[in-house]
Amino acid sequence: MERIALVSDVHGNLTAYEAVLADIDRRRISRIFNLGDHVGKGPRGREVVELSQQRCEVNILGNWDDFLPDPERDCNDEALQFWLDQLAPGQGDWLRSLPFSHDFWLSGRRVRLFHASEETVHRRVRYVRSQAEFEGLFSNTAATGDGPVPDLIGYADTHDPMYECQLEGRTVFNTGSVGNCMGDPTPMYCILEGEFGSEDVAPWSVAYVRVPYDVEAELAVARETGMPHYEGYELELRHGIYRGSLEQWRAGEAVTGYHER
């Protein structure tokens, strides 16, 4: 049995990433796959990219990885420019060149990992979704390419952990987020365990791990660097409340329904 650590949505939160990698090391897991969104939202995209290049056997394209360094991007503001300026020369090209998905066999299951959906990194499938969206996750598309149709899907992007199984054993799980988890803001990653590379049926499992970290240290870096949208970042890291609900939270209103957005 081999264990694979699945990390995602670090979003420039180096403090959380280092804590998660330290936990992976303590468990003596050497194989790490990153499901994308290395940059944006947090203050240290450059360092997160460098660490991912060093530690991750597989890095997958995320929507921020594609969007932020896009030279043809038709929108810009102070925050986007800040996050773009954080990248070292060549890192933007590296991010945009990452593969869309990654397929492999595990204990007789055909596993497919991608960031947001089977079609594009810019369309997400949330916890609350239609049956058609669930079934579509298993489709071969122009983005995923041809090959055996998967029956075990792991994806990210929503910052919400989730696990669901339906008829014919089709299983979907969402990895949550290392650097920007919603609901419970404690960093999360997954451990996928089974007979790696084997088409023979055997036991397999997916486990979720929460890793506490020094959120005050991360917020201090965000303040010191003058990162835009600090209040929204603080709201997400302290309370797991999406920054789009900042005004509601300030007004003392109950903030729910992130899954339904």
Side-chain angles (χ1 to χ4, degrees):
M1 301 279 281
E2 183 163 355
R3 292 180 296 167
I4 306 167
L6 304 180
V7 300
S8 72
D9 294 275
V10 180
H11 281 295
N13 186 340
L14 182 63
T15 314
Y17 199 21
E18 289 177 334
V20 164
L21 291 174
D23 187 76
I24 292 170
D25 289 342
R26 279 194 295 269
R27 297 169 190 266
R28 299 182 180 179
I29 300 173
S30 59
R31 179 161 271 160
I32 305 172
F33 295 171
N34 190 319
L35 275 64
D37 269 10
H38 303 69
V39 298
K41 305 190 82 172
R44 289 185 284 182
R46 174 187 299 213
E47 292 85 349
V48 166
V49 169
E50 290 174 348
L51 203 49
S52 298
Q53 291 171 326
Q54 295 166 9
R55 297 295 309 275
C56 299
E57 179 179 328
V58 172
N59 285 282
I60 293 174
L61 181 71
N63 54 298
W64 275 87
D65 304 328
D66 180 58
F67 168 76
L68 184 64
D70 186 355
E72 299 181 2
R73 177 161 48 85
D74 59 3
C75 61
N76 196 34
D77 59 24
E78 178 187 4
L80 290 174
Q81 194 59 50
F82 174 90
W83 292 314
L84 183 59
D85 290 344
Q86 293 297 305
L87 299 182
Q91 286 188 341
D93 292 336
W94 179 81
L95 287 167
R96 299 201 78 216
S97 70
L98 293 176
F100 178 84
S101 58
H102 183 68
D103 288 24
F104 57 96
W105 289 98
L106 183 82
S107 295
R109 298 275 180 149
R110 182 64 175 178
V111 184
R112 176 169 293 164
L113 305 176
F114 47 69
H115 182 69
S117 73
E118 75 284 358
E119 293 181 335
T120 171
V121 295
H122 299 292
R123 179 180 69 82
R124 60 177 50 101
V125 179
R126 290 199 178 277
Y127 175 81
V128 176
R129 47 96 193 116
S130 69
Q131 180 64 18
E133 286 179 305
F134 177 89
E135 295 178 4
L137 290 169
F138 299 87
S139 303
N140 284 337
T141 67
T144 64
D146 297 326
V149 175
D151 52 15
L152 178 57
I153 296 291
Y155 76 109
D157 187 58
T158 67
H159 301 201
D160 288 315
M162 177 271 290
Y163 177 97
E164 182 174 359
C165 181
Q166 290 198 9
L167 294 176
E168 302 176 341
R170 292 178 300 183
T171 303
V172 171
F173 66 95
N174 187 292
T175 58
S177 169
V178 168
N180 198 246
C181 220
M182 295 292 101
D184 181 346
T186 310
M188 170 174 276
Y189 75 99
C190 286
I191 299 173
L192 192 59
E193 185 174 22
E195 299 293 345
F196 183 75
S198 175
E199 298 183 37
D200 297 329
V201 175
W204 67 275
S205 66
V206 58
Y208 288 90
V209 183
R210 293 277 189 188
V211 183
Y213 77 113
D214 190 348
V215 66
E216 299 303 328
E218 175 63 22
L219 292 174
V221 172
R223 290 192 300 270
E224 290 165 6
T225 58
M227 189 188 76
H229 301 313
Y230 171 80
E231 288 184 316
Y233 192 57
E234 181 183 29
L235 182 67
E236 291 175 344
L237 266 57
R238 287 192 190 280
H239 305 289
I241 297 174
Y242 178 57
R243 64 184 61 195
S245 300
L246 181 59
E247 294 306 319
Q248 287 177 266
W249 183 80
R250 282 172 173 166
E253 300 175 12
V255 179
T256 59
Y258 175 78
H259 289 297
E260 289 80 12
R261 283 181 178 273

